[in-house]
Amino acid sequence: MRIISGKYKGRRITPPKNLPVRPTTDMSKEALFNVLNNHFNFSELKVLELFAGTGSISYEFASRGSSPIVCIDGDMGCVGFIKKTAKEFEFDITAIKSDVFKFLEKHTGNYDIIFADPPYDLKQTDFEKIVELIFENELLDEEGMLVVEHSKHTKLDHMPNYSFQKNYGGSVFSFFEFESEEEEE
């Protein structure tokens, strides 16, 4: 895995082989950041990464100047790896071991970008619950964007605040934004 842009462009990060992860491919990650680049100036964006795994997406945001970044994962090995890597690169990343659903139910922060990469075999209703909890608990800034990575078998285009999706191989990124005032009237 490598950082594709920013201050640490080209740096390789090698996670331990025993982590229970399915990292976003470099090709998909590059395509995702090309889309986000059209919407955001990365410097000083507040970012929340859910089901963070190796932290690959967070390192990309940090390399581009985003700060602070919060990573949530239920696996202690993943959280430990993210903490170690963040310290090594001096990234402003806080890694928290937590069940993502419990975190979303109780957390009160507000973020410019929330990225969720749940296991692809999660139930459809759990994918929907992630989106619902983020908007119900007002975790996303009104100018912000939620991105959910999922397989082509999961459908999220019926959800409130759905904006668009991009397909890359077997991965799909669904983007969610608050509807503008004009659309609501």
Side-chain angles (χ1 to χ4, degrees):
M1 150 175 98
R2 68 183 173 88
I3 296 176
I4 54 175
S5 190
K7 181 178 179 183
Y8 293 96
K9 179 181 180 176
R11 290 283 298 270
R12 293 211 168 271
I13 298 170
T14 309
K17 298 211 181 301
N18 62 343
L19 296 181
V21 297
R22 175 201 31 79
T24 302
T25 65
D26 284 352
M27 184 189 82
S28 295
K29 189 167 53 172
E30 193 161 358
L32 168 67
F33 277 86
N34 285 339
V35 171
L36 293 174
N37 203 33
N38 291 323
H39 293 269
F40 297 97
N41 173 355
F42 291 104
S43 65
E44 299 181 24
L45 283 180
K46 292 180 296 183
V47 177
L48 173 63
E49 183 179 5
L50 304 170
F51 304 95
T54 62
S56 168
I57 297 295
S58 290
Y59 308 143
E60 200 62 50
F61 277 111
S63 181
R64 295 165 186 241
S66 299
S67 173
I69 299 168
V70 176
C71 292
I72 309 300
D73 200 278
D75 183 82
M76 197 61 224
C78 290
V79 170
F81 177 73
I82 294 168
K83 286 180 177 180
K84 176 178 156 278
T85 305
K87 185 176 180 184
E88 179 183 325
F89 284 86
E90 298 180 349
F91 288 151
D92 183 8
I93 296 175
T94 302
I96 299 169
K97 181 187 180 307
S98 177
D99 174 87
V100 168
F101 295 98
K102 289 178 181 164
F103 176 85
L104 291 174
E105 287 168 2
K106 294 182 173 140
H107 190 62
T108 57
N110 188 263
Y111 301 90
D112 301 300
I113 295 182
I114 300 175
F115 180 81
D117 184 9
Y120 280 10
D121 61 359
L122 214 61
K123 293 185 302 197
Q124 171 79 28
T125 53
D126 286 335
F127 275 94
E128 293 170 1
K129 187 176 179 182
I130 293 165
V131 176
E132 289 165 359
L133 285 169
I134 288 168
F135 282 96
E136 283 171 13
N137 295 334
E138 300 176 358
L139 300 177
L140 190 65
D141 184 81
E142 52 186 56
E143 298 295 319
M145 186 176 281
L146 164 63
V147 183
V148 180
E149 182 176 348
H150 56 88
S151 79
K152 61 186 178 197
H153 303 293
T154 300
K155 304 292 183 218
L156 297 175
D157 56 351
H158 63 284
M159 298 291 298
N161 300 304
Y162 172 83
S163 187
F164 62 97
Q165 76 178 26
K166 296 284 185 178
N167 301 345
Y168 302 102
S171 296
V172 178
F173 294 112
S174 287
F175 296 82
F176 296 83
E177 302 172 87
F178 284 102
E179 296 173 2
S180 70
E181 297 289 324
E182 295 141 16
E183 293 173 34
E184 291 174 1
E185 290 175 2

